[in-house]
């Protein structure tokens, strides 16, 4: 059972790396986005408030931390815990802005774009679309950690037993020469035949 819990570190490397990047993107977009004129109002970088903490920084940190666990994990249980943590962060990105209105959280700010398409892109890149991608990668990591491959099985501790034609037996000469199967070569010099010995019958 212990052997099936071990997995190669490469099992979650791809998903974990992407989850870390996406988590950092989601957490930093409202804070650093104004540098690139892409993000949310106000048009000043590094503006912090509790709304941004609840809706962007916290889920981004959950997705990044879960991705880091998935990336570094060599254990099936810890890898699945990291994937679930990232999935929760992604789900909050997707629905948090709507659910948070229940306790009067207005949001992180209006999108900075002036065109409708750009405003939609900022909303998708910062919340809904980002959350869907994070949940998808977390689910993919969960599936990979849940499957036990042949290489994940615990190796046998038994020594291999060789039988058949490839096995070798010691050669015995003299009194116990009859135990040798015929055809193992001539006896050493000075060896005397004994009763029932067939080595000299040619």
């Amino acid at each position: 059972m212990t052997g099936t819990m071990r997995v190669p570190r490469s099992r979650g490397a791809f998903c974990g790396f992407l989850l870390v990047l996406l988590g950092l993107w989601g957490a930093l977009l409202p804070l650093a986005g104004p540098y690139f004129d892409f993000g949310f109002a106000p048009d000043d970088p590094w503006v912090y408030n509790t709304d941004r903490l609840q809706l962007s920084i916290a889920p981004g940190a959950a997705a990044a931390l879960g991705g880091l666990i998935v990336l570094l994990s060599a254990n099936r249980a810890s890898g699945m815990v990291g994937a679930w943590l990232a999935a929760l962060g992604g789900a909050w990105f997707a629905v948090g802005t709507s659910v948070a209105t229940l306790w009067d959280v207005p949001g992180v700010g209006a999108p900075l774009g002036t065109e409708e398409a750009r405003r939609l892109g900022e909303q998708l890149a910062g919340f809904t679309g980002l959350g869907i991608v994070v949940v998808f990668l977390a689910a993919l990591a969960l599936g990979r950690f849940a499957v036990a491959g042949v290489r994940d099985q615990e190796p046998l501790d038994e020594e291999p037993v060789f039988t058949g034609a490839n096995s070798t037996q010691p050669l015995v000469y003299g009194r116990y020469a009859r135990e040798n199967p015929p055809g193992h070569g001539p006896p050493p010099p000075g060896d005397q035949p004994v009763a029932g010995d067939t080595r000299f019958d040619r």
Side-chain angles (χ1 to χ4, degrees), residues 12-148:
F14 177 72
C15 294
F17 179 72
L18 291 181
L19 287 171
V20 171
L21 292 182
L22 292 175
L24 293 176
W25 167 269
L28 296 177
L29 179 61
L31 303 175
Y35 282 123
F36 313 99
D37 197 24
F38 187 89
F40 304 92
D43 195 9
D44 295 320
W46 307 109
V47 174
Y48 169 83
N49 53 46
T50 56
D51 295 347
R52 292 187 170 189
L53 173 64
Q54 295 178 53
L55 299 178
S56 293
I57 299 175
L65 179 60
L68 187 63
I69 296 174
V70 170
L71 175 63
L72 301 178
S73 180
N75 182 274
R76 193 180 306 278
S78 62
M80 295 181 72
V81 169
W84 273 113
L85 180 60
L88 291 176
W92 188 248
F93 270 129
V95 303
T97 54
S98 300
V99 175
T101 58
L102 297 176
W103 54 87
D104 298 328
V105 175
V108 298
L112 294 176
T114 56
E115 300 85 4
E116 189 66 27
R118 181 173 173 182
R119 293 169 65 89
L120 177 61
E122 289 169 332
Q123 187 67 31
L124 291 175
F127 293 102
T128 311
L130 174 64
I132 292 174
V133 175
V134 169
V135 170
F136 171 77
L137 291 174
L140 183 60
L142 276 172
R144 289 181 61 82
F145 279 109
V147 174

